[in-house]
Amino acid sequence: MNKTFLILPFLGLLNVSTAQAYSPIIHDFHSVRAAGMGDVRYTTGLYEENFYANPARVTENPESQLQLPKLSFEAGSSAIGTIGSLMKSGNDGLSRFSSAVGEPLSARFQLVFPAYYKKEFITENWSLGVGMLVSAQTVAFMSQSGEIDPTTLLNAGPSFTLGRRLLEEHRLSVGLTARTEFRASSGSVFGISDFLTGAKTMNQALRGGSGFGLDFDLGTSFRPHWTWLGFQYEVGAAINNILGGKYTNLGGRISGWANDPIPSPISYNFGVSATRKNLFIFDSLLYAIELSDLGPANAGGSIFRCVHLGSEAKWHALAARLGVNQGYFTAGFGVNAGFVDLNLATYGEELALNAGVMEDRRYALELGFQL
């Protein structure tokens, strides 16, 4: 059967109005624990979270740890609904796919393995973290004018983090992360007609850019002596992707992927957290407010896309989390049973330049093993 006859009724379902500005903030790494608490991580991050946030927090890891595989999976509600519709469809599959028009189709797979964290490295003043990350993510979007933005990124490589404690009682920490990474990403926008006919335009769009490179993060954290309402406070700040996150400075392009990959631009991040031990039935209670992805990482975007608020309450091996990410509520739950660590979260991510315009509601699961 000629595919042209399939294209025509499908295009008839599309509104040719201009799509809203679509500009997601792409992160190499995403923590399910942090996602449940508003994506705060610069004053709260632990273990692998610090490879891509505040490297100074490596000094706050509770203990040395050998990380066995830690897997995480995420999917947006629109992606889940579209997949469900396609699985139910028969000959009308293309018509059912129209439910994806104007909706983001997001998903992520992530693996941290192996990784090792040393609480006291050489002396009690130093801490170390080294780990390997593999991540694949997509935030595809089909506009009402029938164009598909495939925004897909694959990145893999090791990170090395070193932190130093300073001042009396180790109230000040500084840290540095060096990261080597290979990445490949999708290219330009293509039309729905290219997708249905398998045109060369689509193949070129999917095979965008690739590269291999090195970048750095620099961070600091400080715990003042003063307290209020029994809470201990921490102030943190970090600069991520100091070299611009292009990951092409060591070459590494593969055949057919000749362009530059999607970059992770330099970002400026800071925040404050408050923690109290043994409050009511809780072993600990944490609150944090942070501004992250300031600067080129949020180019042209509202500052409200950079606002994150979060909380976490721990009781024995259980943790409950609530927060606000870019104006959207988040919630999470965690179980740390020593050898096994399980985290669940739901959060909203803003995909437009202004907060409150285009929410992508996502659901995430993380399962990790450690010694």
Side-chain angles (χ1 to χ4, degrees):
M1 180 177 181
N2 192 327
K3 291 184 179 180
T4 304
F5 293 103
L6 297 177
I7 297 171
L8 294 176
F10 183 75
L11 292 181
L13 298 172
L14 303 179
N15 187 319
V16 295
S17 62
T18 302
Q20 297 168 315
Y22 174 68
S23 183
I25 297 176
I26 302 296
H27 294 112
D28 301 9
F29 167 85
H30 195 231
S31 164
V32 176
R33 170 182 175 265
M37 47 196 290
D39 207 25
V40 293
R41 57 195 189 280
Y42 288 91
T43 59
T44 65
L46 297 172
Y47 297 112
E48 73 280 353
E49 293 173 344
N50 301 313
F51 291 139
Y52 293 86
N54 186 353
R57 286 283 303 175
V58 71
T59 63
E60 298 300 319
N61 290 335
E63 58 186 4
S64 297
Q65 185 180 101
L66 174 62
Q67 181 68 65
L68 301 177
K70 176 171 277 191
L71 298 140
S72 66
F73 306 88
E74 297 187 22
S77 57
S78 297
I80 296 172
T82 299
I83 292 173
S85 295
L86 289 175
M87 291 180 66
K88 294 177 183 177
S89 65
N91 295 328
D92 61 341
L94 293 172
S95 298
R96 291 180 180 271
F97 194 66
S98 65
S99 63
V101 174
E103 300 291 339
L105 304 177
S106 61
R108 173 192 286 267
F109 165 78
Q110 186 172 279
L111 169 67
V112 179
F113 178 74
Y116 178 68
Y117 311 94
K118 183 66 174 175
K119 175 72 172 178
E120 295 181 354
F121 177 63
I122 302 178
T123 73
E124 65 176 10
N125 294 324
W126 295 87
S127 291
L128 168 75
V130 59
M132 178 75 179
L133 170 76
V134 177
S135 175
Q137 60 180 302
T138 184
V139 195
F141 180 81
M142 183 187 298
S143 73
Q144 293 178 332
S145 60
E147 292 184 328
I148 298 175
D149 186 334
T151 312
T152 299
L153 177 67
L154 168 68
N155 57 284
S159 297
F160 177 88
T161 298
L162 189 64
R164 175 72 158 88
R165 302 176 183 86
L166 300 166
L167 301 183
E168 294 182 1
E169 302 175 353
H170 295 155
R171 293 186 298 116
L172 175 67
S173 293
V174 295
L176 173 71
T177 291
R179 184 166 49 252
T180 302
E181 184 176 299
F182 168 79
R183 62 171 52 190
S185 66
S186 58
S188 59
V189 172
F190 59 91
I192 185 61
S193 60
D194 298 324
F195 172 78
L196 295 175
T197 61
K200 183 178 179 181
T201 307
M202 186 193 74
N203 294 330
Q204 292 174 340
L206 293 178
R207 298 174 56 162
S210 60
F212 181 65
L214 175 70
D215 216 322
F216 301 90
D217 302 337
L218 183 64
T220 184
S221 65
F222 177 70
R223 290 181 287 109
H225 275 139
W226 50 267
T227 61
W228 183 53
L229 298 179
F231 284 85
Q232 175 67 58
Y233 294 86
E234 179 178 328
V235 179
I239 303 175
N240 295 127
N241 301 309
I242 293 174
L243 301 183
K246 296 181 179 179
Y247 293 103
T248 57
N249 49 17
L250 297 179
R253 281 198 175 92
I254 57 178
S255 177
W257 302 67
N259 298 318
D260 290 343
I262 296 173
S264 297
I266 186 172
S267 66
Y268 306 94
N269 318 272
F270 63 91
V272 59
S273 65
T275 306
R276 181 167 176 177
K277 305 290 185 181
N278 302 316
L279 181 64
F280 303 120
I281 65 171
F282 303 116
D283 298 328
S284 68
L285 190 62
L286 179 150
Y287 296 98
I289 179 170
E290 297 179 354
L291 289 175
S292 60
D293 297 311
L294 297 168
N298 186 40
S302 164
I303 192 173
F304 294 106
R305 290 210 306 174
C306 304
V307 178
H308 308 271
L309 300 91
S311 63
E312 179 182 59
K314 290 185 176 179
W315 181 72
H316 299 306
L318 306 179
R321 303 168 184 126
L322 291 172
V324 176
N325 176 65
Q326 301 179 324
Y328 303 111
F329 87 90
T330 71
F333 177 76
V335 180
N336 188 335
F339 175 68
V340 179
D341 189 19
L342 173 68
N343 292 292
L344 303 170
T346 178
Y347 69 100
E349 185 81 2
E350 181 56 64
L351 300 184
L353 291 173
N354 295 301
V357 174
M358 188 186 300
E359 179 190 11
D360 183 16
R361 171 58 51 180
R362 299 175 182 175
Y363 303 90
L365 165 69
E366 179 182 75
L367 180 64
F369 305 89
Q370 60 272 328
L371 296 175

